[in-house]
Amino acid sequence: MRLRRWPGLIEHYRRFLPVTDKTPVVTLNEGNTPLIESPMLADRAGQNIKVYLKFEGANPTGSFKDRGMTVAMSKALGDGAKAVICASTGNTAASAAAYAARAGLRAFVLIPKGAVAIGKLSQSVMHGARVVEVIGNFDICLKVVRDLAERDPIRIRLVNSVNPDRIAGQRTGAYEVCDQLEDAPTHHFLPVGNAGNITAYWAGYKDYKREGLSTRLPRMMGYQAAESAPIVLGHPIDDPKTVATAIKIGNPASWKGATDARDESGGIIDMVTDAEILSAYRLIAASGVFAEPASAASVAGLLKYAATGGLKPGSVIVCTLTGHGLKDPDTALKNLSNTIVVEPDLEKVRKLLEID
């Protein structure tokens, strides 16, 4: 029996994407990530509720960024760019570096000094990107790369989510959810950092509804970390802080897109504390899925919202898990380690493991 090969997002969803027959396709066969049902989280959410985890950590570089990067890199190559540049808290840098290597383009990434998880930084280095650590936060890095790209927009392509090709590719996450559920969910919970993902998912759901491929639109439920919550607070934050480094952003580039998604869908954008994020991080792992801390903001948001009684019986929930837990192993080891050191003595080991 021959198995059908997954062709990657551009070929599978070509009719929805800003590509032509002449666009060179740069792909690592991204997409087609699992939608994992979680009965444990469903029990916590309420009666007769379904909860699914869209595990974007199964993408080639371990995060949802690959969805937008395949389109952005393909368009950059087709337009004659020689290099790509981005600012990043880690995942965009890793994805840009990998796809640039695949395309034969140079990659330059600016990251906040000392604020990027080791797993993400190592990916950028291994794929050959020129990594520059900037003294300052993500928002400062983004301003610098935007200014640089504007000076030479033909040869150097900016591949942050301010690039519309990135958002177009990220819309495919919504298409997949609808295909996997055979309809849209009633609620979609997401972490919100630079806010491109909630913007893209909402656009994707509208695409499928307009084409008659789904019967409803979900409420978009976005969650920021409490000390990195500019949209919730209504103003930029100069010094954002959170254990969830992927969403440690004080002035989201897609702020308006996120609030539009919230308002048009009847959803919310709220915040969760680091303690709530780490609690959800443990729960996700207890269900067999290892996701990075920022991913857990979606599940923390679900649990916070469910506690208000806002979910009705029959609700179908999707929580996006934006990246793999191996992106940030330090957080797991520093906050959640349950390892024990013991001498190689049989009886001592038996006692510690409580085998009897």
Side-chain angles (χ1 to χ4, degrees), residues 13-36:
Y13 291 113
R14 177 175 283 273
R15 72 184 177 109
F16 292 104
L17 298 173
V19 296
T20 69
D21 291 341
K22 295 181 179 180
T23 304
V25 175
V26 181
T27 181
L28 293 170
N29 299 97
E30 60 293 312
N32 196 27
T33 58
L35 188 68
I36 305 167

Side-chain angles (χ1 to χ4, degrees), residues 11-70:
E11 294 302 341
H12 193 77
Y13 291 113
R14 177 175 283 273
R15 72 184 177 109
F16 292 104
L17 298 173
V19 296
T20 69
D21 291 341
K22 295 181 179 180
T23 304
V25 175
V26 181
T27 181
L28 293 170
N29 299 97
E30 60 293 312
N32 196 27
T33 58
L35 188 68
I36 305 167
E37 187 170 2
S38 177
M40 179 183 67
L41 290 174
D43 287 343
R44 291 171 179 266
Q47 292 186 338
N48 191 27
I49 289 174
K50 294 280 190 182
V51 175
Y52 298 89
L53 305 174
K54 184 61 169 164
F55 184 44
E56 292 292 87
N59 275 301
T61 76
S63 86
F64 77 96
K65 303 289 187 177
D66 295 350
R67 292 185 179 276
M69 205 59 70
T70 182

Side-chain angles (χ1 to χ4, degrees), residues 156-170:
I156 302 176
R157 182 63 55 89
L158 180 65
V159 291
N160 279 100
S161 59
V162 293
N163 180 332
D165 297 327
R166 276 278 311 276
I167 297 296
Q170 286 172 211

Side-chain angles (χ1 to χ4, degrees), residues 15-16 171 174-175 178-179 182-185 201-218:
R15 72 184 177 109
F16 292 104
R171 293 200 313 254
Y175 306 159
C178 292
D179 290 342
E182 299 184 337
D183 205 348
Y201 265 97
W202 177 237
Y205 282 125
K206 290 192 292 184
D207 288 344
Y208 252 43
K209 178 68 164 52
R210 184 174 58 251
E211 294 293 318
L213 297 171
S214 64
T215 67
R216 62 191 177 198
L217 293 170

